[in-house]
Amino acid sequence: MPFALALTMILALLAVFQIALAAGAPWGHFAWGGQHRVLPRNLRIGSAVSIVIYALIAFIAWERAGITSLLPDVVAQVAMWIVFAYFAIGIVMNAISRSKPERYTMTPVVLVLAVLSLLIAMGFGEYAMAI
């Protein structure tokens, strides 16, 4: 449970960041390749979609950790490994960004998310209900 909670907290912070980007905050150099100070309309929409993806990832992590139980276990297990792969690719994508602010800020963040998602996928930190 502590890994799923930590993952959720980081995703919540990223969601606030994406809300700010979607609203026109001048922090575009930290996201989406860092080419725009204020994101154009299509990337603002992408930021809004990211928030939905973050919520889905948090849900999957909570399912895999046993905090909620709306999905079959096998679905939660497979989905969590997909989340890990998503973050592993994200490490590479952020590390090769032309934007130094994005590279130096988001690469470590996504690395932490990848490690947490790996631990969750492997079944560490599962919530055990007292009987």
Side-chain angles (χ1 to χ4, degrees):
M1 183 163 105
F3 301 128
L5 182 58
L7 183 100
T8 302
M9 290 172 53
I10 294 168
L11 290 173
L13 292 171
L14 286 173
V16 171
F17 172 69
Q18 294 290 355
I19 289 168
L21 287 175
W27 303 333
H29 54 282
F30 287 100
W32 300 107
Q35 303 302 310
H36 307 280
R37 185 172 169 267
V38 175
L39 298 180
R41 184 175 188 270
N42 63 326
L43 293 180
R44 288 182 186 201
I45 292 168
S47 286
V49 170
S50 293
I51 298 163
V52 175
I53 293 169
Y54 297 160
L56 178 61
I57 290 170
F59 170 72
I60 291 167
W62 284 53
E63 283 287 317
R64 178 64 181 112
I67 299 165
T68 58
S69 59
L70 299 173
L71 299 175
D73 288 343
V74 69
V75 172
Q77 290 172 3
V78 170
M80 198 64 224
W81 282 107
I82 293 169
V83 167
F84 167 68
Y86 172 77
F87 287 134
I89 292 168
I91 294 167
V92 175
M93 297 306 291
N94 282 291
I96 65 172
S97 174
R98 292 185 206 168
S99 167
K100 284 185 182 181
E102 181 179 30
R103 191 168 56 241
Y104 295 144
T105 304
M106 293 304 176
T107 303
V109 171
V110 178
L111 177 62
V112 169
L113 289 169
V115 169
L116 289 169
S117 65
L118 176 61
L119 292 170
I120 296 165
M122 293 174 66
F124 292 105
E126 287 187 37
Y127 180 71
M129 291 184 58
I131 296 177

